[in-house]
Amino acid sequence: MNRKIKRILKITLPLLLGVFLVWYSISKVSLEELLQYVKRADYTYIVLGMLLGLLSHLSRAYRWRFQLEPMGYDIKLGNSIMAVFATYLINYTIPRAGEVARASIITNYEDVPFEKGFGTIVAERIADMVVMVGIICITLFLQFDFIYQFLIERFQPTKLLVIVVLGCAVIMLLYRFIKKSRSVFALRIKKFITGLIEGTLSIFKMKKKWAYIWHTLFIWAMYLLMFYVTTFSVDELNQIPVGAVLIGFISASFSIAATNGGIGSYPVAVFLAFSIFGIEKDPSIAFGWIMWASQTLLIIILGGLSLIYLPIYNRRKK
């Protein structure tokens, strides 16, 4: 019974949060005003952003083959591409279910054992997380003065120092607890951290490790570019600072994990990030919706076609 409740909550809570955030973001700007921004948008930049997003997805599908080759599996590029698009589409319905479906598709059509296929997807997510941490570190370095000044203006220096000291103390205490404790929770954390390290280091043991690393960097470069290029579709954001793009991108990326595919949370995350730089509310929310809707449309079309065409493609190959 508890498992059923957990499964229901995993599906319904992100959806409910998404619905609430949709209402919240639209309440911040009138629907009529939002539609005006959509009508006035420069669709050349929106389409260009979609093409950059498409390149990142194709690169992800091609990169996946590098992980499977050392295990003796040379999967068809077509199956890899369609499995990736199916993953994104399914994640809009049930969070993280797409990864399971992706491994299942390759098991079904390429005879790759499920646990091996799923293991490569986990390692892939670790590589992506490492790059994301790198982007955050670069952003903090480039925008340190701005972020520092922003925090000083909103928090008293003494309070800010206390928060930092307390934060460091909590991290150190948690580290000591996890290191010495034999509780189930601590052991799971240890196992998780060990898995992260092993998964990351396994990339360097690949035969085509440099190609894999290059594709990983290319994927995230395309993500950043599609976000930046799409800002030009809204006239009010044409002079947007680089710092706003970086912080907006990071905030929007994390929002995707909060709800199914970022529904509702994506525009709010963009608005909150852009507001730090004094960018007006209406164009920020409008851009968030334009950005999210354009990429979602791409996934719905290509993900849907992939699910339809997968059995046809593999029947012809037999």
Side-chain angles (χ1 to χ4, degrees):
M1 193 69 178
N2 287 335
R3 287 183 180 179
K4 278 188 177 180
I5 293 170
K6 284 180 180 179
R7 281 200 297 269
I8 292 168
L9 289 175
K10 280 182 181 179
I11 296 169
T12 56
L13 285 181
L15 283 172
L16 289 172
L17 179 60
V19 170
F20 168 75
L21 290 172
V22 167
W23 168 82
Y24 176 80
S25 63
I26 292 176
S27 70
K28 289 291 179 181
V29 55
S30 70
L31 187 59
E32 186 180 342
E33 187 70 23
L34 181 61
L35 290 173
Q36 286 302 315
Y37 275 104
V38 173
K39 288 178 183 177
R40 294 197 306 265
D42 189 333
Y43 282 83
T44 301
Y45 291 108
I46 295 174
V47 172
L48 182 55
M50 292 172 74
L51 290 174
L52 291 168
L54 176 61
L55 285 175
S56 72
H57 304 324
L58 294 175
S59 181
R60 181 176 294 278
Y62 193 76
R63 182 186 67 169
W64 192 20
R65 300 173 79 226
F66 296 148
Q67 293 173 279
L68 293 165
E69 280 176 9
M71 293 186 285
Y73 302 103
D74 184 20
I75 67 170
K76 300 179 187 74
L77 181 59
N79 279 333
S80 183
I81 290 171
M82 288 186 281
V84 165
F85 281 117
T87 296
Y88 291 136
L89 181 60
I90 292 168
N91 276 339
Y92 275 90
T93 55
I94 304 173
R96 302 279 71 88
E99 279 72 18
V100 176
R102 182 173 158 192
S104 299
I105 287 168
I106 294 302
T107 299
N108 188 31
Y109 294 118
E110 295 284 356
D111 296 323
V112 177
F114 177 83
E115 62 278 6
K116 290 186 179 181
F118 191 73
T120 60
I121 296 168
V122 172
E124 178 184 288
R125 290 288 178 259
I126 293 167
D128 290 334
M129 188 178 71
V130 169
V131 177
M132 188 63 185
V133 170
I135 293 171
I136 293 169
C137 290
I138 292 168
T139 302
L140 289 173
F141 176 77
L142 293 175
Q143 298 295 315
F144 178 79
D145 291 339
F146 178 85
I147 294 169
Y148 176 77
Q149 192 60 39
F150 174 79
L151 292 172
I152 288 296
E153 287 174 1
R154 282 157 178 75
F155 302 97
Q156 293 178 9
T158 306
K159 287 183 179 179
L160 194 59
L161 181 62
V162 169
I163 291 170
V164 171
V165 171
L166 284 174
C168 292
V170 168
I171 291 169
M172 288 178 67
L173 287 171
L174 281 172
Y175 173 76
R176 291 187 67 181
F177 169 74
I178 291 167
K179 189 176 180 180
K180 294 181 179 181
S181 177
R182 294 186 177 277
S183 67
V184 175
F185 173 75
L187 290 173
R188 282 182 179 177
I189 295 293
K190 283 180 188 176
K191 187 177 179 182
F192 176 73
I193 293 170
T194 303
L196 287 181
I197 294 169
E198 287 179 0
T200 305
L201 293 176
S202 69
I203 293 168
F204 294 95
K205 297 175 184 177
M206 288 181 195
K207 188 176 179 181
K208 297 179 180 177
K209 56 180 176 291
W210 295 115
Y212 185 91
I213 292 168
W214 185 90
H215 273 277
T216 301
L217 295 174
F218 177 81
I219 289 165
W220 283 90
M222 291 302 101
Y223 285 161
L224 265 169
L225 272 175
M226 76 180 186
F227 189 90
Y228 176 62
V229 164
T230 309
T231 61
F232 289 101
S233 65
V234 179
D235 289 339
E236 289 84 348
L237 300 180
N238 282 352
Q239 302 299 321
I240 188 170
V242 175
V245 172
L246 289 169
I247 294 174
F249 171 76
I250 292 167
S251 179
S253 297
F254 280 114
S255 75
I256 293 171
T259 58
N260 298 23
I263 183 170
S265 62
Y266 197 98
V268 173
V270 171
F271 158 60
L272 293 174
F274 284 3
S275 65
I276 297 171
F277 293 82
I279 299 170
E280 292 182 10
K281 173 185 63 180
D282 290 2
S284 298
I285 291 177
F287 164 73
W289 276 110
I290 289 168
M291 180 71 205
W292 179 83
S294 60
Q295 295 301 321
T296 298
L297 179 64
L298 179 71
I299 294 303
I300 290 172
I301 293 171
L302 295 180
L305 289 173
S306 294
L307 288 172
I308 293 168
Y309 190 62
L310 264 167
I312 300 169
Y313 175 78
N314 286 280
R315 186 180 63 207
R316 288 180 177 179
K317 294 290 177 181
K318 288 180 180 179

